[in-house]
Amino acid sequence: MSRPVIAITMGDAAGVGPEVVVKALARTVGPAGTAGATDAAHSAAFRPLVVGDAARLRRAAEVTGAELEIAAVGSPEEARWEPGTADCIDLANIPADLPFGELSPVAGEAAYRYVETATRLATGHRVDAICTAPLNKEALHAAGHRYPGHTELLADLTGTDEVSMLLSAPSLRVIHVTTHIGLVDAVAKIEPGLVERTVRRGHETLRSSGVARPRIAVCGINPHAGENGLFGHGEEETKVVPAIEALRRDGIDAQGPLPADTVFFRAVRGDFDLVVAMYHDQGHGPVKVLGLDAGVNVTVGLPVIRTSVDHGTAFDIAGTGAADEASMLEALRQATELAPRRADAAA
């Protein structure tokens, strides 16, 4: 079976995306006898294909000291995947003088085009998964693309009505019922059907990754999960409990609603395989405390596999070479595990 081809989008060129991409690939496909030998298992497992701007990647390699050549190609079929070289579908859309660390609609437009191209390749089965470096939402909006983030952009590009964001840190997985909307709007949006569908997506994702019977904790909405009506207006009973009852009737081990102030500790301890968070900060906070540099974002429900780093563009350190590639390495590892395998004698 072939090693899957992972399309890696370069992200916002003014941020740390190009740097974490070249640093990660130097550790996976770099020349033998250098840092490239550090992650030989990664190198043997997948074939990377960057979608971005080749010149910007070369500059990032200079900034970081990454021992990596960048080969510009026009299609996946032209890629050679040679040791010490990263193949890049070169859209050549970044000016040479674009500064690091500054908001730019040019970079926002370019980042959009990388995701669009990678999605087209994935839906056309010319690559097996997508792994995204961070884009900047303000730059994306300045370029005229009004999406809250990658998750919504990918859903639109693939014609998917509903997806879920799943964050994975070394000792914790969290899937979100709502994400990039205000807290008041999130509470209004939560309803039993949405909660149930979110849990089912998480359940199937874990099963496909080898967890035979996932143990799933479902958070409440209010403090102490409402404490039997003491807090809130009965949201747990009307919005969450019916979903859990339906899931348990189908044999899914969903427990809750549980207080969010203790459930993440219990999950890290090993009581649960997945926590279902009701809104953005309820789930993001614990994951980022545990693994800001090693966390991974998986979009669940798309017709393609997509993982991502769980950090932003970090304009404050962009261009310095200091960005940590740990999250990108983990995102590539998870994309490799989730990607379908195809018979391919040439691989």
Side-chain angles (χ1 to χ4, degrees), residues 8 19 49 58 93 98-99 109-110 119-120 133 135 153 157 159 210 298 304 315-316 326 331:
I8 307 165
E19 295 167 68
L49 180 65
R58 294 186 186 108
N93 53 4
L98 181 83
E109 176 65 27
T119 303
R120 184 171 65 250
L135 50 73
L153 170 56
L157 289 172
V298 183
V304 299
F315 279 173
D316 57 326

Side-chain angles (χ1 to χ4, degrees), residues 87-101:
D87 295 290
C88 172
I89 293 184
D90 185 14
L91 300 193
N93 53 4
I94 298 299
D97 59 353
L98 181 83
F100 284 105

Side-chain angles (χ1 to χ4, degrees), residues 98-114:
L98 181 83
F100 284 105
E102 295 183 14
L103 187 72
S104 166
V106 172
E109 176 65 27
Y112 173 84
R113 296 300 168 191
Y114 306 148

Side-chain angles (χ1 to χ4, degrees), residues 63-335:
V63 166
T64 61
E67 297 189 52
L68 188 71
E69 297 294 324
I70 307 299
V73 299
S75 69
E77 293 74 24
E78 293 179 17
R80 300 181 65 177
W81 292 292
E82 295 177 340
T85 300
D87 295 290
C88 172
I89 293 184
D90 185 14
L91 300 193
N93 53 4
I94 298 299
D97 59 353
L98 181 83
F100 284 105
E102 295 183 14
L103 187 72
S104 166
V106 172
E109 176 65 27
Y112 173 84
R113 296 300 168 191
Y114 306 148
V115 176
E116 181 185 52
T117 300
T119 303
R120 184 171 65 250
L121 294 173
T123 55
H125 305 291
R126 297 170 70 193
V127 301
D128 301 301
I130 301 170
C131 183
T132 58
L135 50 73
N136 184 280
K137 297 178 182 65
E138 287 187 66
L140 192 68
H141 292 180
H145 303 291
R146 307 294 296 184
Y147 297 97
H150 267 119
T151 302
E152 296 81 4
L153 170 56
L154 285 158
D156 189 33
L157 289 172
T158 58
T160 306
D161 292 332
E162 189 175 275
V163 296
S164 297
M165 178 187 293
L166 189 153
L167 301 183
S168 176
S171 57
L172 179 65
R173 302 184 192 94
V174 181
I175 193 168
H176 293 71
V177 175
T178 66
T179 50
H180 295 120
I181 57 177
L183 184 55
V184 172
D185 296 329
V187 174
K189 184 176 181 179
I190 297 167
E191 50 87 19
L194 178 58
V195 174
E196 181 180 345
R197 294 191 299 274
T198 301
V199 175
R200 290 186 186 277
R201 280 190 284 267
H203 180 264
E204 289 307 308
T205 298
L206 264 62
R207 281 177 54 84
S208 68
S209 66
V211 182
R213 182 170 168 75
R215 299 162 300 161
I216 301 174
V218 182
C219 288
I221 299 171
N222 294 296
H224 301 185
E227 201 161 309
N228 297 317
L230 182 62
F231 304 114
H233 301 279
E235 288 86 357
E236 279 73 21
E237 288 71 20
T238 60
K239 294 173 176 284
V240 182
V241 169
I244 293 174
E245 291 175 344
L247 292 160
R248 294 184 68 85
R249 284 196 296 269
D250 284 350
I252 294 175
D253 185 4
Q255 302 180 36
L258 298 173
D261 60 353
T262 56
V263 72
F264 294 98
F265 167 78
R266 294 181 60 192
V268 171
R269 186 175 64 185
D271 294 355
F272 303 109
D273 301 299
L274 178 68
V275 177
V276 181
M278 291 294 131
Y279 51 89
H280 184 281
D281 286 10
Q282 188 182 62
H284 275 61
V287 172
K288 293 193 175 184
V289 166
L290 290 170
L292 183 61
D293 291 326
V296 173
N297 182 333
V298 183
T299 305
V300 179
L302 292 171
V304 299
I305 299 300
R306 178 260 176 168
T307 66
S308 178
V309 297
D310 187 32
H311 60 73
T313 47
F315 279 173
D316 57 326
I317 61 169
T320 68
D324 192 325
E325 72 275 22
S327 185
M328 176 57 73
L329 285 167
E330 181 62 16
L332 288 168
R333 185 189 69 79
Q334 293 203 28

